[in-house]
Amino acid sequence: MDLGIWSIFITSFLVGFSGASSPGPMLTMVLAQSSIKGWFESVKIVTGHAILEGILVILLLLGLQPFLQNQVFLKSFSFFGSIFLFYMGIGLLISLFKNEIHVKNASPLKFPSVLGGILVSISNPYWLIWWITIGVSFLTQARNYLILGVLSFYFGHILSDYVWYAFIGLIGQGLSLPFWKRIYKVILYIASIFLIFFGGYFMRYVFLG
């Protein structure tokens, strides 16, 4: 394989890893869901995220960057995602107040985790802004190597997400062990508050820019 393709893959992984490890709604969701249902929830959530990013890469390659940069689109994108974060945060908070979270199959997320990964990505307008600025720059370089370059960029990027969030998922599952029982619900209360906070923060972007 061409050294340039390996360079694209490694650079994409490292840049993606720095972004994945930043605190945000996805990290909060993975931590909360993994502590309730096990670490593999992280893989399902990131798979939803990866599917959405794959679609976005295709749209950017088709030249739809101007449409994706449209403020109406960006704010609509963020609005529906913010509603999802409110739903997640309030749902988790209600479950905690009702003392309903006891076992691995009890979860405030009432639909597939893969869909949750898509929705939590949609909630963050800065995720989309990253793609139509930095992501486009990467894609421009990757296209020089045709399909292999684009695939190297994409798989390097999503691999960083899987590595980081699998690690977060293991931490989340560890929190549900008896040893951590005393702080387990405290962590979930904090996670629910952060989800609501991020929902409000991104909703602020919708109305105030």
Side-chain angles (χ1 to χ4, degrees):
M1 187 179 288
D2 193 294
L3 183 61
I5 292 176
W6 277 113
S7 176
I8 290 170
F9 179 85
I10 293 168
T11 304
S12 179
F13 176 82
L14 293 175
V15 172
F17 196 78
S18 66
S21 59
S22 301
M26 180 168 284
L27 187 145
T28 306
M29 180 180 175
V30 167
L31 190 63
Q33 287 297 112
S34 296
S35 68
I36 297 168
K37 301 184 73 177
W39 75 273
F40 198 69
E41 285 299 294
S42 65
V43 176
K44 296 177 184 178
I45 292 168
V46 174
T47 296
H49 177 72
I51 289 170
L52 186 63
E53 291 196 320
I55 293 170
L56 191 56
V57 166
I58 292 170
L59 292 177
L60 290 172
L61 289 172
L62 291 174
L64 293 180
Q65 182 184 359
F67 171 75
L68 297 175
Q69 287 177 313
N70 183 278
Q71 282 297 306
V72 174
F73 176 78
L74 280 171
K75 291 187 176 184
S76 299
F77 200 81
S78 187
F79 175 79
F80 290 109
S82 297
I83 295 297
F84 169 72
L85 290 181
F86 283 131
Y87 163 78
M88 269 294 298
I90 294 171
L92 180 56
L93 205 56
I94 291 172
S95 295
L96 288 165
F97 280 137
K98 290 182 176 180
N99 206 29
E100 291 178 347
I101 297 178
H102 301 288
V103 293
K104 292 289 183 184
N105 62 356
S107 171
L109 194 59
K110 305 301 182 184
F111 41 80
S113 295
V114 172
L115 179 58
I118 292 173
L119 293 173
V120 78
S121 301
I122 287 174
S123 73
N124 188 348
Y126 302 107
W127 168 78
L128 184 58
I129 290 169
W130 185 93
W131 271 99
I132 59 181
T133 53
I134 299 171
V136 166
S137 299
F138 270 105
L139 274 176
T140 301
Q141 297 176 45
R143 288 178 69 176
N144 293 329
Y145 297 91
L146 305 177
I147 187 66
L148 281 179
V150 172
L151 290 175
S152 294
F153 162 69
Y154 173 71
F155 284 110
H157 183 80
I158 64 169
L159 180 62
S160 65
D161 289 327
Y162 276 108
V163 170
W164 173 250
Y165 286 112
F167 171 67
I168 296 299
L170 288 170
I171 292 176
Q173 180 172 318
L175 289 173
S176 64
L177 296 174
F179 179 77
W180 296 103
K181 191 172 182 180
R182 290 185 179 181
I183 67 165
Y184 171 52
K185 285 193 175 180
V186 173
I187 296 295
L188 289 181
Y189 272 115
I190 293 172
S192 66
I193 291 168
F194 267 104
L195 287 169
I196 295 168
F197 167 78
F198 282 121
Y201 181 78
F202 295 141
M203 190 64 80
R204 176 182 175 276
Y205 168 82
V206 174
F207 293 104
L208 301 179

